[in-house]
Amino acid sequence: MSNLLRPPTVRHTIGVLDRTLFAKTVNLAAVAITDKRKIAQWRQSLHKDNTLLGAERLANVVPHPDQTLASQGARCLLLHPKVRPTVPDTWTPLLRDGVEKQELGVVPYDLSLDYTYWSYDDVMQCLLPSDVRDEHDGFPSGFNQAGHVAHLNLRDQFLPYKKLIAQVLIDKNPGVRTVINKVTMVGTESEFRTFEYEVLAGDDDLNVEVRESECIFQFDYSKVYWNSKLEGEHRRLVHLFKPGEVVCDVMAGIGPFAVPAGKRGVFMWANDYNPESYRSLSSNIKRNKVTEYVQAFNEDGRTFIRNAADLVYAASTTGKYAVAKKKPVSRRRQHEDGGKATEERIPVPPTISHFVMNLPASAITFLPHYRGLYAGHEGLFEPHTGTKLPMVHVHCFAAKAGGEAPLLDICERITAELGFPIKLGDPEVPGEAAVLEIREVAPKKRMFCASFRLPAEVAFAPRE
């Protein structure tokens, strides 16, 4: 069956995609059910008998091939290709019995397939010659999607076919209207992680809207950084934050950590050095109605780290708070309050609970700026209070290697920048860090997140 349902042979081409070349007719057998009321019953029986056609994206209940009967509502069940309509020896006992009892009639059926049926991989297998496929016989199917834009990073061997690839990608992904290809490495042309691109298909419109974690983000994809493959990491960290805590997002981008956390009642001091990211971040804060909890800043992350600690402490000492609306929890309370939601003041605490540093290419180099973060404020933390020093989550890259080698390398780099020994282990233990692999970004490169409590020796050191 797999051979019958393969796409037709199409000559490899670098030119315009001709979708008509993918038309194909597959000769099958079908059974006409004498009593239309028994179609479901026979469908179930033939399925158990392994006689029914079972193919992805194909319905096995179809109109009768006779147009007159089809106009009267007659339908058929498509059979497995092993069953031939004029060769009874290929029929199963169940099928023969149904025919003998005149409950079934076996008829030829010409199944017409066209370009819309074939999957992206099916089409690529036809269009791309075998000598340009990668070592796994694969095709360029992975892409980063931002709203209606699909962002490819094509390898050199696929570049002659880039227009074809883009056209097929749009055809097979209904949510995609524009396909672009990166022509420079992220960070090569801009310190803001933006990149030069070429439009391969669709309009040159990179103003997109993305939905993630029940939030709406709008931005110009050509001017800010966004990676849809980090949605799981966004969700993972946000769910570590507790309502009423303060979290400092040093490289906040357009707000994928800050905005969802704000919706959960977490105070977010969100910063990004890119003015365009800051504008989108500010807009997304308002759009998602989290202005009570999320504040946007446009500073160099190195200076923002200490500034945020000072600003949070000042906000707490001056009595800053967020107003949260609470719905009545009981009918009696609802009656007493007239059915209206009540307001609760959530005070800003004096210290930051978490720092997020999602700039994997260089975030580790920002660590020296935590030195002296809380100099002179030792009384705010353990053992004087029940408050722990901030948990730092720093994203980074490391070469792909076996075992713990990349994790140990990351700890060594953190140690060198922080000026305090950090080893692999439990992040709640002073001097230890948990290092989690987030994703593979290239065949020999992976992204990690290292989490550790800021050591007292660093936090309370004199500020330089």
Side-chain angles (χ1 to χ4, degrees), residues 47-93:
H47 174 72
K48 291 181 179 179
D49 194 45
N50 294 320
T51 309
L52 198 66
L53 176 69
E56 292 183 3
R57 308 186 306 279
L58 278 180
N60 47 33
V61 180
V62 295
H64 197 287
D66 185 309
Q67 295 298 317
T68 301
L69 294 176
S71 65
Q72 298 172 1
R75 293 184 294 171
C76 292
L77 296 174
L78 296 182
L79 301 179
H80 192 282
K82 67 185 178 182
V83 179
R84 309 308 301 164
T86 58
V87 185
D89 288 345
T90 64
W91 302 356
T92 64

Side-chain angles (χ1 to χ4, degrees), residues 5 20 30 40 49 75 92 96 98 171 175 198 233 256 300 332 335 365 374 401 406 439:
L5 296 182
T20 63
D49 194 45
R75 293 184 294 171
T92 64
R96 291 197 194 96
D171 290 343
E198 58 179 338
E233 176 64 357
D300 186 317
R332 178 180 177 183
H335 177 74
T365 65
Y374 282 113
R439 58 183 291 263

Side-chain angles (χ1 to χ4, degrees), residues 10 38 90 129 156 173 177 197 210 254 298 318 389 436 441 457:
V10 177
K38 294 185 177 181
T90 64
D156 291 343
N173 294 273
R177 301 199 313 271
Y197 66 92
V210 174
I254 64 163
N298 181 209
T318 56
L389 282 162
L436 177 68
V441 296
E457 292 82 354

Side-chain angles (χ1 to χ4, degrees), residues 77 205 229 292 398:
L77 296 174
D205 174 19
K229 296 178 181 178
E292 285 287 320

Side-chain angles (χ1 to χ4, degrees), residues 120 140-146 149-153 169 173 176 228-229:
Y120 174 85
S141 56
F143 57 88
N144 184 26
Q145 185 170 351
V149 177
H151 164 205
L152 294 169
N153 185 15
L169 197 151
N173 294 273
V176 174
S228 59
K229 296 178 181 178

Side-chain angles (χ1 to χ4, degrees), residues 112-129:
S112 297
L113 301 175
D114 59 18
Y115 175 79
T116 60
Y117 169 72
W118 313 113
S119 70
Y120 174 85
D121 281 357
D122 290 336
V123 176
M124 285 295 100
Q125 189 171 7
C126 293
L127 295 179
L128 299 184

Side-chain angles (χ1 to χ4, degrees), residues 364-439:
I364 285 180
T365 65
F366 285 59
L367 293 178
H369 298 273
Y370 284 92
R371 192 165 187 82
L373 183 73
Y374 282 113
H377 291 288
E378 291 84 350
L380 296 175
F381 300 94
E382 293 179 337
H384 309 286
T385 70
T387 302
K388 296 181 179 181
L389 282 162
M391 181 73 74
V392 179
H393 308 277
V394 56
H395 293 87
C396 56
F397 294 132
K400 188 173 184 178
E404 294 185 342
L407 315 184
L408 297 174
D409 172 67
I410 290 169
C411 289
E412 290 177 3
R413 288 154 55 194
I414 292 174
T415 295
E417 296 290 346
L418 199 60
F420 186 87
I422 298 293
K423 63 181 181 180
L424 194 63
D426 184 348
E428 292 294 348
V429 175
E432 296 186 6
V435 183
L436 177 68
E437 181 178 346
I438 305 304
R439 58 183 291 263

